Amino acid sequence: MSDTELQFELGRAITENELFLQYQPRVLVTTRELRGVEALVRWHHRTRGVVPPAEFIAAAERSGLMRDLEAWVIREAMLQAAVWQRDGARVGVSVNITAPLLADESFLRLAERTMKIQRDPGTVTFEVAATSLAAVERPIAGLARLRERGIRLALDDVTGLDELEASSWNRWDYVKPGRGLVTEAGRSDAAGATLRALVARATELGARTQAVGVEDEATIALLLETGAYSMQGYAIAAPLGVKELWSWSEGRRRSA
Ligand code: C2E
Ligand code: MG
């Protein structure tokens, strides 16, 4: 698909409901108790099948479709969270937001309106990628507004200490070391040391560390040593549909 085609098709996908969310469980490092899920968007294209976000997020950003896309994601995730709350499940829900939207007044208003679906905004986290944040002017007012609504903020995809320091002008509830760093930390001493330093600094800044891309027990052992708070990754579960997530959680409950 050419870029123009992709942008046109994506615009249609948003209005015609071809997007859907998968949810990846996030568990405590110490007890592996379910703490929350990260909502990850996918596109079920009519002829191409399921398209991952890496293939369409950038196109959405270039064509100004991000606001509509994120508005859809937040609404869908909040409606799902409301169903879980009604069923008595206390799981936090995280959504990914690109930094430019934090300075977009109409997006902020839309997000605030959508958040009214949520009775417990403290269980919702907006994740902002460190690199997307570095590329824009500090969206201080936008972040403050979300925080005032009780929404938690996570600095996502952090690759090292420098990135954390560069974004430390904001108070982050969570810091998420990037998948590359976490995977590497299980294999190399240098990456392991970077991860340790990152968790320690995040803690000093008052943030909890949520590790992403945890694929094996060796990495989990390392996370336990570092004092990281929670983790997600294939070692726990891949991103799942709502029904699969339910069976996964039932399966764990039964074997507990
Ligand atoms: P992310 O926020 O860092 O999300 C984690 C990514 O790592 C997801 O890829 C997930 O499927 C993948 N992953 C999780 N555990 C493992 C593991 O153990 N091993 C490996 N190899 N991969 C793992 P996905 O779903 O393809 O998403 C990629 C990125 O796209 C996300 O990175 C996020 O930055 C972005 N994204 C996804 N949904 C949205 C959205 O609704 N809005 C925005 N702005 N960005 C989104
Ligand atoms: Mg994320």
Side-chain angles (χ1 to χ4, degrees), residues 38 96 127 156 176:
E38 176 174 5
N96 294 279
E127 302 186 357
D156 201 6
K176 298 189 83 168

Side-chain angles (χ1 to χ4, degrees), residues 130 155-160 163 175-185 195 198 209-214 219 232:
L155 184 65
D156 201 6
D157 215 2
V158 181
T159 56
E163 258 179 19
V175 168
K176 298 189 83 168
R179 178 150 51 93
L181 174 61
V182 175
T183 310
E184 202 47 39
L195 184 64
L198 200 60
T209 305
Q210 302 181 332
V212 179
V214 179
T219 310
Q232 65 192 76

Side-chain angles (χ1 to χ4, degrees), residues 8 10 15 37 44 48 64 87 92 101 110 126-127 136 141 151 170 173 188 206 215 229 233 248:
F8 173 78
L10 188 57
T15 48
V37 293
H44 198 153
R48 294 176 66 207
D87 295 346
L101 288 178
L110 210 71
F126 280 14
E127 302 186 357
V136 298
I151 297 166
N170 183 55
D173 299 287
S188 111
E215 294 186 354
Y229 177 66
W248 173 84

Side-chain angles (χ1 to χ4, degrees), residues 21-26 34-40 73-95 117-120 123-124 238-250:
L21 294 181
Q22 281 190 328
Y23 299 90
Q24 184 172 38
R26 194 170 50 72
L34 179 64
R35 263 305 136 117
V37 293
E38 176 174 5
L40 294 156
V73 168
I74 297 173
R75 190 177 144 75
E76 179 70 14
M78 290 310 105
L79 289 171
Q80 185 56 55
V83 171
W84 285 326
Q85 274 166 7
R86 186 202 61 200
D87 295 346
R90 241 191 93 80
V91 277
V93 178
S94 306
V95 291
I117 304 173
Q118 179 53 257
R119 276 178 295 148
D120 192 359
T123 60
V124 179
L240 304 168
V242 174
K243 281 194 196 129
E244 294 168 297
L245 182 65
W246 189 83
S247 331
W248 173 84
S249 120
E250 277 300 291

Side-chain angles (χ1 to χ4, degrees), residues 30-217:
T30 46
T31 60
R32 304 199 189 186
E33 185 190 328
L34 179 64
R35 263 305 136 117
V37 293
E38 176 174 5
L40 294 156
V41 69
R42 276 95 183 81
W43 174 11
H44 198 153
H45 188 272
R46 284 191 284 203
T47 52
R48 294 176 66 207
V50 176
V51 189
E55 287 181 35
F56 63 85
I57 293 277
E61 288 191 306
R62 282 194 299 275
S63 57
L65 283 169
M66 247 357 239
R67 190 183 55 202
D68 292 349
L69 189 147
E70 300 286 26
W72 183 90
V73 168
I74 297 173
R75 190 177 144 75
E76 179 70 14
M78 290 310 105
L79 289 171
Q80 185 56 55
V83 171
W84 285 326
Q85 274 166 7
R86 186 202 61 200
D87 295 346
R90 241 191 93 80
V91 277
V93 178
S94 306
V95 291
N96 294 279
I97 303 292
T98 49
L101 288 178
L102 296 169
D104 178 333
E105 179 57 32
S106 67
F107 170 76
L108 288 171
R109 261 188 277 127
L110 210 71
E112 283 167 342
R113 231 180 305 135
T114 309
M115 288 303 297
K116 292 206 174 114
I117 304 173
Q118 179 53 257
R119 276 178 295 148
D120 192 359
T123 60
V124 179
T125 302
F126 280 14
E127 302 186 357
V128 190
T131 43
S132 86
L133 199 63
V136 298
E137 226 175 281
R138 296 180 178 182
I140 298 173
L143 287 167
R145 259 168 78 173
L146 297 172
R147 180 176 292 287
E148 271 164 36
R149 295 281 179 282
I151 297 166
R152 314 272 172 198
L153 301 171
L155 184 65
D156 201 6
D157 215 2
V158 181
T159 56
L161 268 183
D162 292 356
E163 258 179 19
L164 178 57
E165 295 300 348
S167 308
S168 62
W169 48 268
N170 183 55
R171 193 162 74 69
W172 300 102
D173 299 287
Y174 305 106
V175 168
K176 298 189 83 168
R179 178 150 51 93
L181 174 61
V182 175
T183 310
E184 202 47 39
R187 302 183 192 134
S188 111
D189 288 348
T194 304
L195 184 64
R196 269 177 223 276
L198 200 60
V199 179
R201 184 66 184 131
T203 310
E204 271 172 22
L205 293 169
R208 286 172 159 166
T209 305
Q210 302 181 332
V212 179
V214 179
E215 294 186 354
D216 50 44
E217 290 297 324

